[in-house]
Amino acid sequence: MELDSKPIIQKSRRVFLLGNLLMSLGILLVTVGGSWDITNHVLNKPESFVSIPHGVMYSGVAMSLIGTVISFAIWHKIENKKSLKISLKLGVIGIIVLIGAGPIDFFWHSTFGLDGLLSPPHMSLIFGMILTSVGGMVGLVRYHVISKSKISKFLIIVGLLPIWLASSGLISSLSLPFSNTDFFNFNPEPVTALMVATLCYPFLISLILISASRLSKNKFGIISLTGGLFLAIYGSTAILPNVTMSETILFYSTNLIPLIVSDYIISKLNYKHAKYIGAGILGSTFYMFYYPYIMYTYNEVLLGKLVSPSLIYSIYFELIIQVFLITLIPAIIAAFAGCYFSKRVSDKIENL
Amino acid sequence: MKKFFPISIASVLIGVYLVLSLVVFPSFYLSKEIPNPQPYFDVKISNLSILLGESFDVNIFSKNIGEYGDIHILSIGFPSLDKITDEIKLNNSDFNHQYNFIEKNTLVGSNYTAGDQKVETQYALIEVMNRPSPPNGSYDFQFSVTPKNTGLYEIYVKAIEIPHTSNLSHFPHQGMLDPQSEYVEVYSVIVNP
């Protein structure tokens, strides 16, 4: 009886893994649609709720919902299910918040027309995304911890990437001046927005990438791959759709260099503070990582120029040295904090 | 020596990255010319003299004859009106954005600053835009007017491209300045009793 029940338990864990995968990939789709939607608003200023980026986003929500339902349905059959309870809880709460955002978003568009980046439905959407993606990530990492297979390391990337993108969405909402509409002006105060961007982006980059490295036991390639996928998503949704900026993809691609260098330092060099060195390098490049829209935050305070889509890159490059010098120290300190916090997070997930 | 070799290589790579990101690419991209879109329009009015109670049609063919632009704005002013009423009937618009009726005393952009400097309107306007504004993109805007008073009925028309990079980014390039300190082409129809 014991022998017969073993394959059933393993199968149920694999089904739970499938649920977690769908949760994370669904949120990844939402973030891709979200980033594309921002570009669509900047370029075309659409007047209708119905748009392709919104379609991509809500397909992602549907995928995450299916994933959460699968995880919920199979969870009670899993052996040693206690360690996965937090994954399921976060997933269920997240998906409820996420689904709740849909009708609120539709109502908001219908009542107030075009909405800004920071609005109650968008906040609900982003918090739902973060909770669901954290739920998915915990399930995926727990599977990796138990299975210890070579291929399961990639689950860490699938788990962390949507959290990175969703959290970036939160920071962008709190720092970009994209929220002044006919009915409400939710634009953040410019200096506060600058401080939010300068501290939160490097913290997040460091937290995600150093956590990826820790969870994979410092496997070389994990930081480069996670960061490379982030660059690919941002490049294809925020840079390439703007015809006047498509050439600047070459500049954006050079961000692979600090990723690979940090990856190498952390994985291959046996230095006592290798992770902090890597985190510092990664954090200091945040202005380049978040090209192009991050420029709006710094332009508000440093230049105050009127920006239209074809001027984005020129104003960005006009500011780049000034922003790099002003933000270097605080960005490195924030990245150190992210590195420190990543140890707490990865230890907690591994020892659930 | 062996211990310091990898970190030296890493430092060199980071140095190369910083030089590329902060010096080489910015100078390269900043040396490129910013696109210079140029608006143009042609206006056809069905009758230059009508009787009170009759209507006349206005067809505006607006286009971008320059390079890629972000926004093509067409603005039509009615100096005899405080707001757009049933006197104006819209027949067709090819613009990809919905037209806006702007009443007198509304804050609008001025001096070709796309909203950075604002003034109050002195009369009713219709504003319509196309985003983005590709080269050779052309748009029709057609409406009918049934004046309610006799005399000279005037219509002011102007087109602006964003980014507004030179004197060619607006049309007309000279003539009468409207209350927004922007050039307008004046069209008039005599309404007889």
Side-chain angles (χ1 to χ4, degrees), chain A residues 42-45 47 243-244 247-248 254-255 258 269 271 281 285 288 306 308-311 313-314 317 320-321, chain B residues 3 6-7 10 13-14 17-18 21-22 25-26 29-30 32 34 68 70 96-98 113-114 131-132 162-163:
Chain A
V42 169
L43 294 178
N44 307 316
K45 207 176 179 189
E47 295 167 316
V243 290
T244 58
E247 271 185 41
T248 60
T254 56
N255 283 318
L269 303 186
Y271 293 154
I281 292 171
T285 62
M288 286 70 117
L306 196 69
S308 79
S310 56
L311 299 179
Y313 78 88
S314 64
F317 287 116
I320 194 165
I321 292 185
Chain B
K3 191 181 171 186
I7 201 73
L13 283 173
I14 291 298
Y17 166 73
L18 290 176
S21 300
L22 301 177
F25 281 118
Y29 292 124
L30 286 171
K32 291 171 83 76
I34 290 166
Y68 181 91
D70 297 322
N96 68 3
H97 273 244
Q98 182 71 10
T113 59
R131 294 183 69 145
I162 307 289

